[in-house]
Amino acid sequence: MTQLALVIDLNVCVGCSACVTSCKEWNTSGAAGPLCDTNPYDAEPTGTFFNRVQTFEVGEYPKTETVHFPKSCLHCEDPPCVPVCPTGASYKRKEDGIVLVDYDKCIGCKYCTWACPYGAREIDEQQKVMKKCTLCVDRIYSTTLPERDRRPSCVLACPTSARLFGDVHDPDSVVSRAIRESGGYALMPEWGTQPANHYLPRRKSTITIREDQLVRADNPLKVDGKLPKPSRQEPTLDDVTSW
């Protein structure tokens, strides 16, 4: 059985919000951009985001790293939002595993919001219905778009190719290979929802920067040789051979 999903590489996501902007442009009635749709600069802005990018720091100063974490509906294989819906508006498609909302049936009760452990549901204050990521279902099956464009808008917009799209049940798909080869993981698996979307972890890399490298090469003092010598000298060949 097919299960379409996104795989997001946290190692190359730069937090540019291109995915947020393109998602809003394609899926919502609001203006494209990272801001809320209505009254974005007022005390009570409102709007609907199918996709968000959360940015935070990890580690302890001075050894900290900035992490950009895109998050949207994870299209769980066992979605808790579906059984709690009193009208059947939330449902999971059998043919591709995409979780959708039937706006004609939705009464905006927010039961799905309370059931979702990932905070992926939002109320549209104008239409009074619950909304979420649809994996751009109208794009991926469109017959009017070129085949190369039949992917979610966030995937097409990502400048670093941090977002992959495909069938996670197909072992030969690009997403399955990425999960298998790069240690992809599901978000909060302890909830038992079996999220279809996966994340590729950040790869640790250590970069050694010498003290003299912190000064620009065109610094006049460096050019004239008037900079003070670094407090720690790099080891010489004699030092290395004597170890």
Side-chain angles (χ1 to χ4, degrees), residues 89-211:
S90 293
Y91 65 100
K92 184 176 178 66
R93 289 163 47 118
K94 293 182 179 180
E95 61 268 33
D96 51 24
I98 299 177
V99 178
L100 295 176
V101 179
D102 185 338
Y103 299 150
D104 293 332
K105 295 181 180 179
C106 181
I107 58 175
C109 66
K110 301 183 181 179
Y111 281 6
C112 56
T113 300
W114 300 333
C116 177
Y118 309 105
R121 296 292 187 108
E122 297 189 15
I123 183 74
D124 187 312
E125 295 291 351
Q126 294 180 341
Q127 298 184 30
K128 304 300 180 183
V129 295
M130 306 308 298
K131 290 187 175 182
K132 53 175 277 312
C133 166
T134 66
L135 282 182
C136 288
V137 66
D138 52 339
R139 285 190 66 101
I140 62 178
Y141 293 111
S142 174
T143 57
T144 60
L145 292 174
E147 188 172 353
R148 66 177 181 275
D149 292 338
R150 297 176 191 175
R151 292 179 291 165
S153 59
C154 60
V155 175
L156 292 170
C158 183
T160 61
S161 298
R163 306 175 76 93
L164 305 175
F165 173 68
D167 180 8
V168 292
H169 285 181
D170 178 3
D172 296 324
S173 67
V174 62
V175 287
S176 292
R177 291 199 305 269
I179 294 171
R180 186 168 57 249
E181 297 171 3
S182 301
Y185 63 93
L187 186 63
M188 298 163 58
E190 64 273 15
W191 283 95
T193 61
Q194 303 179 57
N197 285 9
H198 283 66
Y199 292 88
L200 304 184
R202 291 169 58 84
R203 274 85 74 186
K204 292 293 184 180
S205 59
T206 302
I207 301 177
T208 302
I209 302 178
R210 300 195 309 271
E211 191 172 341

Side-chain angles (χ1 to χ4, degrees), residues 4 25 28 32 38 50 56 77 80 86 91 101 122-123 158 178 241:
L4 298 179
E25 182 180 16
T28 75
T38 307
F50 290 9
F56 52 92
E77 301 207 34
Y91 65 100
V101 179
E122 297 189 15
I123 183 74
C158 183
T241 55

Side-chain angles (χ1 to χ4, degrees), residues 5-69:
L6 297 172
V7 170
I8 300 172
D9 191 343
L10 298 179
N11 200 60
V12 297
C13 176
V14 296
C16 66
S17 289
C19 56
V20 179
T21 299
S22 61
C23 174
K24 182 170 284 293
E25 182 180 16
W26 182 262
N27 291 293
T28 75
S29 57
L35 299 177
C36 292
D37 302 329
T38 307
N39 306 320
Y41 299 104
D42 289 354
E44 297 182 358
T46 63
T48 305
F49 286 86
F50 290 9
N51 178 66
R52 294 179 183 269
V53 177
Q54 299 172 339
T55 299
F56 52 92
E57 286 190 355
V58 297
E60 296 183 2
Y61 181 84
K63 296 181 179 181
T64 60
E65 296 181 12
T66 301
V67 177
H68 305 292
F69 195 88

